[in-house]
Amino acid sequence: MKIENKSIYFEKNQIEKKIKKDRISIETKRKRRTIFTIIFLLLIISTLNLYSVAYYEENSFTLGKYLFFVFIGAFSLMFFNIFNYKIFKKEKMIKFIYSASILLLIFVFIGGKVLPGVVKTINGATGWIRLGPINIQPAEILKVPFIIIEAYIFYKKENDSIFKLIGISFGIFLSFAGFIILQNDMGTVIHYFAIYLVMLFMSGIDKKVIIKVVSGFGILGIVGLVGLYKYGNIFFDGYKVRRITMYIDGLFNDGYIGNIDIGYQVAQSLLAFGNGGVLGVGYGNGVQKYSYLPEIHTDFIMALLGEEMGFLGVCIIVLFFFLLYNIMIDIGINSKDFFGKYLAIGIGGMIMSQVLINLFVAVGLLPVFGIPMPLFSYGGSSILTVMTSIGIVLSINNYTSIAFDKI
């Protein structure tokens, strides 16, 4: 009788496990389909948006180069989709990724001084490596290794003291940020810091401690902005200081209006959004692409979309990105692997913070940082970074139902 009861219990247990496994499998496939659908729709809208610019400029090279990187990015996404992300959990792999990343940043810094034909300076920032007809920005691509390393730190040191965990993780951030600052690319450093804050906030650290840390940085930032606004022109004489003072003037004193110097791009961007209204002026009918807004296909690409598709069109794009972010966070939270959890959360934070920073810059709520819009801005490094990171999240999703292994 006891044997029979054990047999019934075993069969019941097996059935319950199968039902649970099937349910997880269905949920995993649903998330994967949703991610692919969102990416496909975003790329279609982005291609149409860039075609609107390219058609006016009669420059098919811009669109062709964008589509080339989308193709390479799609290949990278599919590769990492079937790639076992847990390989990154190995300590030797983390050390290799960190060493290679720092060496690449050192090469860019030194190359900018001794190899100007290889390492290019664009808009004041020295951070692009010329590879034939294309330029690659290592600081952009290294966001993925940065997240992988930080995810490993949070995973390994989660049970250590708060100060040790924050100290090590913040030290990793500073090592990346230091070399990127030497490239004169403060905007990318700010984005790295935003990624770090998202991962820190989603960690197991007491939220009161995190709030205190973030508040401290916030207060320092405000004091720094006020100091630069009042005394920056006395102690510094640079383009970036004038850009910050113009941002404060624009935010509080309508300083963008009529300005043809530092605040010109933001002023034209605001005109584009205002001209678009709620529904937009119609596809192809925007006027800011007629050289009023310089390099509209890069960091201010959303100004064109806002003008032609209106506030409603911008809201739809933001909604797509928010859904993508929400799915990534959900994948991270449901992952049985804490490394996978932090990795998915970091990638989700990278994409969503980049969206918000780009939009806030376009409407004058943040200084001009030079942060591209994910999947929309013309820039191969950004596209490759985003597509690769999405592939890694898909890999985490594929292994959600798999218990811990030796990897």
Side-chain angles (χ1 to χ4, degrees):
M1 189 68 179
K2 288 183 179 180
I3 295 176
E4 184 179 346
N5 289 337
K6 286 183 178 180
S7 176
I8 293 173
Y9 174 79
F10 177 77
E11 289 180 3
K12 183 180 178 182
N13 191 39
Q14 289 298 107
I15 292 172
E16 288 178 351
K17 284 183 178 180
K18 186 178 184 305
I19 292 173
K20 185 178 180 180
K21 184 177 179 180
D22 291 341
R23 179 173 55 79
I24 292 175
S25 178
I26 293 171
E27 185 68 13
T28 299
K29 291 178 181 178
R30 183 189 67 80
K31 290 175 183 176
R32 185 167 62 242
R33 285 196 302 268
T34 305
I35 289 175
F36 276 120
T37 301
I38 291 173
I39 297 302
F40 177 76
L41 292 174
L42 286 173
L43 288 174
I44 290 294
I45 297 172
S46 176
T47 302
L48 291 173
N49 203 34
L50 278 173
Y51 177 76
S52 179
V53 177
Y55 180 78
Y56 158 70
E57 295 179 345
E58 296 183 351
N59 183 7
S60 59
F61 179 75
T62 299
L63 183 61
K65 194 173 176 182
Y66 170 80
L67 292 175
F68 169 76
F69 276 108
V70 167
F71 174 78
I72 299 299
F75 177 81
S76 180
L77 185 153
M78 296 307 299
F79 172 78
F80 281 98
N81 171 44
I82 61 175
F83 183 84
N84 187 348
Y85 78 95
K86 293 184 180 182
I87 291 175
F88 294 132
K89 281 175 63 177
K90 294 181 178 181
E91 186 176 351
K92 289 183 179 179
M93 179 63 75
I94 292 297
K95 289 181 178 179
F96 171 76
I97 292 173
Y98 180 70
S99 300
S101 300
I102 297 301
L103 286 174
L104 182 56
L105 290 173
I106 292 173
F107 170 78
V108 172
F109 172 65
I110 297 175
K113 297 181 179 299
V114 301
L115 298 171
V118 177
V119 179
K120 291 186 61 178
T121 298
I122 300 176
N123 295 329
T126 304
W128 280 262
I129 297 177
R130 185 195 296 272
L131 297 175
I134 62 176
N135 299 312
I136 298 296
Q137 186 182 12
E140 184 71 28
I141 293 175
L142 289 179
K143 289 174 184 176
V144 176
F146 170 72
I147 294 171
I148 291 172
I149 295 165
E150 290 287 19
Y152 180 81
I153 296 298
F154 282 112
Y155 151 68
K156 275 290 186 181
K157 306 296 182 181
E158 191 171 40
N159 295 323
D160 289 357
S161 68
I162 293 175
F163 295 105
K164 185 176 180 180
L165 177 55
I166 293 179
I168 295 175
S169 60
F170 190 68
I172 294 295
F173 161 73
L174 287 179
S175 63
F176 277 82
F179 287 105
I180 298 173
I181 288 174
L182 292 175
Q183 298 174 16
N184 200 28
D185 189 0
M186 197 63 192
T188 301
V189 171
I190 291 171
H191 189 213
Y192 271 75
F193 187 58
I195 296 168
Y196 172 70
L197 287 181
V198 171
M199 297 182 74
L200 184 67
F201 188 80
M202 296 295 286
S203 69
I205 299 175
D206 186 352
K207 297 301 181 284
K208 292 180 180 179
V209 175
I210 296 175
I211 291 172
K212 289 178 181 178
V213 172
V214 174
S215 298
F217 281 114
I219 292 171
L220 286 175
I222 293 172
V223 171
L225 284 175
V226 173
L228 282 175
Y229 181 73
K230 288 192 173 184
Y231 308 108
N233 293 328
I234 298 175
F235 297 102
F236 304 99
D237 183 23
Y239 177 81
K240 292 186 181 298
V241 173
R242 288 187 290 133
R243 195 157 65 181
I244 291 173
T245 56
M246 177 52 62
Y247 156 69
I248 297 174
D249 269 337
L251 196 62
F252 296 103
N253 303 321
D254 293 330
Y256 292 126
I257 305 301
N259 190 284
I260 59 173
D261 187 23
I262 305 298
Y264 177 77
Q265 277 186 300
V266 178
Q268 295 302 126
S269 178
L270 290 171
L271 286 174
F273 282 108
N275 188 38
V278 177
L279 299 178
V281 297
Y283 179 69
N285 296 325
V287 297
Q288 286 300 323
K289 60 190 177 186
Y290 299 157
S291 299
Y292 291 109
L293 183 50
E295 299 184 21
I296 193 172
H297 55 281
T298 55
D299 302 333
F300 284 86
I301 190 66
M302 292 303 290
L304 176 64
L305 190 139
E307 184 178 23
E308 295 189 348
M309 300 185 185
F311 177 73
L312 183 61
V314 174
C315 286
I316 291 173
I317 299 304
V318 173
L319 177 61
F320 280 149
F321 276 112
F322 179 77
L323 290 174
L324 184 64
Y325 167 76
N326 190 56
I327 293 172
M328 289 181 173
I329 297 299
D330 188 59
I331 289 172
I333 291 174
N334 287 294
S335 175
K336 294 180 179 180
D337 179 12
F338 280 101
F339 173 71
K341 164 191 168 184
Y342 289 120
L343 192 53
I345 287 170
I347 290 171
M350 177 193 77
I351 294 175
M352 198 63 208
S353 62
Q354 191 169 335
V355 169
L356 294 176
I357 290 173
N358 180 273
L359 283 174
F360 284 3
V361 167
V363 297
L365 293 178
L366 282 176
V368 179
F369 290 139
I371 300 296
M373 184 71 174
L375 302 179
F376 275 77
S377 292
Y378 168 81
S381 300
S382 176
I383 294 169
L384 285 175
T385 300
V386 173
M387 298 286 271
T388 299
S389 62
I390 291 172
I392 293 173
V393 173
L394 287 169
S395 175
I396 297 169
N397 182 57
N398 294 338
Y399 287 91
T400 294
S401 58
I402 300 177
F404 292 111
D405 54 29
K406 295 181 180 179
I407 295 178

